[in-house]
Amino acid sequence: MTDFDILSVKTAISDTRKKLLQHPIYQDLNDLPSMRIFMEHHVFAVWDFMLLLKALQRKLTSVDEVWVPTENRVARRLINEIVWGEESDLDLNGQPSSHYEMYLDAMKQIGADVRSVNHLVQKASEGHSLKSLMKYNVAEIESSRLNFVRVSYEIIKEGKLHAIAAAFTFGREDLIPDLFTEIVRDLNNRFQGELSAFVYYLERHIELDADEHGPMAEQMIRELCGNDQQKWEEAKQASQKALDARLQFWDAIHAAIRQQKQSPELESALLA
């Protein structure tokens, strides 16, 4: 196996990836109200990330009551290392925390509304299935957020392990370092420490994904696709689907931010 197929996937998705990295949304993340809107939407992508991650862990490791060794030893190790870093990292205060929980802490620091995502998690904790959450929207998630998460649900539901891994790798791990670099640049200076928890979250993602999780995830793709060209084609399609969903999500968040910036009430509040 070589990097040829990895490179072919990256080439196929390069145009959409470029649009995401050059999206005008970053220019409008210049005040606290805009950051609150962004985070209130984006937290669903943070939660959705864990859906893909845990789907991979379930399929690549033994999580049943009776343990048996799974077939792919390399992929098993890779996914367990990624899960450990994402679900059991250390927060800003050196305490154990998932990255999702770090994100909630960052939202609370700037006064962002966490009720919608908390309602979703509460419904899940009450026993609602992923199908009822995504297909029937029992948590009453706003449409642009639900549409984004539904794409991952569809990929997971299809059950093709290499496609789930591709959506995770090229729609998340491979994208996040460059994507979040656009957000984190000058953020702390601009808000004078008011976003310290969010900056820490972003820096942890940049550090882990660029240096560790990104390369691990690519190696996992190589293990799962091997020399099967059909699998590589399906991996390419899943990657493109995930990035298209992210681009539509970014457009929706940007529209919400622009709408708020054009509100006379907001302008008065900012000038007060």
Side-chain angles (χ1 to χ4, degrees):
M1 291 181 285
T2 69
D3 284 344
F4 173 78
D5 291 304
I6 288 284
L7 292 175
S8 70
V9 174
K10 289 185 175 182
T11 299
I13 63 176
S14 61
D15 287 346
T16 308
R17 193 174 190 277
K18 183 178 180 180
K19 290 177 182 178
L20 279 164
L21 295 177
Q22 297 179 351
H23 200 282
I25 190 173
Y26 308 116
Q27 299 174 8
D28 281 321
L29 294 176
N30 53 14
D31 54 55
L32 288 179
S34 299
M35 288 304 309
R36 292 188 189 104
I37 290 177
F38 174 81
M39 296 182 77
E40 288 163 6
H41 285 76
H42 182 249
V43 67
F44 284 84
V46 180
W47 181 79
D48 159 270
F49 175 91
M50 295 303 296
L51 293 185
L52 292 166
L53 179 63
K54 301 303 279 189
L56 288 169
Q57 187 185 35
R58 287 194 303 273
K59 289 179 176 293
L60 288 171
T61 70
S62 179
V63 294
D64 294 326
E65 182 179 8
V66 179
W67 182 88
V68 294
T70 50
E71 180 179 354
N72 195 314
R73 300 182 185 187
V74 175
R76 181 202 311 161
R77 177 181 175 85
L78 291 169
I79 197 61
N80 276 333
E81 287 198 27
I82 295 173
V83 169
W84 180 81
E86 296 292 341
E87 197 171 33
S88 304
D89 203 359
L90 297 178
D91 66 13
L92 187 61
N93 300 311
Q95 298 300 310
S97 175
S98 68
H99 286 190
Y100 169 79
E101 290 163 317
M102 287 186 201
Y103 202 94
L104 286 184
D105 290 341
M107 291 179 69
K108 294 172 184 176
Q109 185 183 40
I110 66 166
D113 192 343
V114 299
R115 288 176 297 179
S116 182
V117 73
N118 280 346
H119 184 54
L120 168 64
V121 173
Q122 177 62 35
K123 288 294 183 181
S125 69
E126 291 171 357
H128 288 280
S129 66
L130 186 59
K131 179 180 180 179
S132 67
L133 292 169
M134 296 297 102
K135 187 174 181 179
Y136 302 112
N137 195 18
V138 296
E140 301 177 327
I141 307 169
E142 184 269 333
S143 61
S144 67
R145 306 171 197 186
L146 180 64
N147 291 339
F148 175 78
V149 182
R150 271 180 175 164
V151 170
S152 294
Y153 163 69
E154 291 168 0
I155 294 172
I156 293 169
K157 182 182 177 183
E158 193 174 1
K160 295 180 179 178
L161 183 55
H162 53 283
I164 299 171
F168 176 81
T169 301
F170 298 112
R172 300 297 191 279
E173 293 287 24
D174 179 63
L175 178 70
I176 284 172
D178 288 337
L179 189 64
F180 280 177
T181 298
E182 297 295 329
I183 301 173
V184 76
R185 182 176 293 129
D186 298 326
L187 200 60
N188 214 20
N189 291 335
R190 188 183 308 159
F191 295 112
Q192 298 181 347
E194 292 184 77
L195 282 153
S196 58
F198 188 42
V199 171
Y200 178 81
Y201 166 86
L202 296 178
E203 288 177 342
R204 285 299 292 158
H205 257 293
I206 291 169
E207 179 182 358
L208 287 175
D209 293 346
D211 298 338
E212 300 177 26
H213 293 176
M216 286 180 186
E218 287 191 7
Q219 180 60 28
M220 181 169 57
I221 287 286
R222 294 186 185 96
E223 289 289 328
L224 296 176
C225 289
N227 294 316
D228 189 327
Q229 290 303 311
Q230 179 63 30
K231 287 184 176 180
W232 280 109
E233 181 59 32
E234 290 171 348
K236 187 185 300 182
Q237 293 170 3
S239 301
Q240 186 62 57
K241 187 175 182 178
L243 287 182
D244 286 341
R246 173 81 71 163
L247 184 58
Q248 292 175 11
F249 195 35
W250 251 222
D251 288 342
I253 300 173
H254 189 221
I257 291 172
R258 294 301 300 168
Q259 181 178 4
Q260 179 177 254
K261 286 182 178 292
Q262 293 167 5
S263 166
E265 293 81 6
L266 175 64
E267 289 181 6
S268 297
L270 292 175
L271 291 173

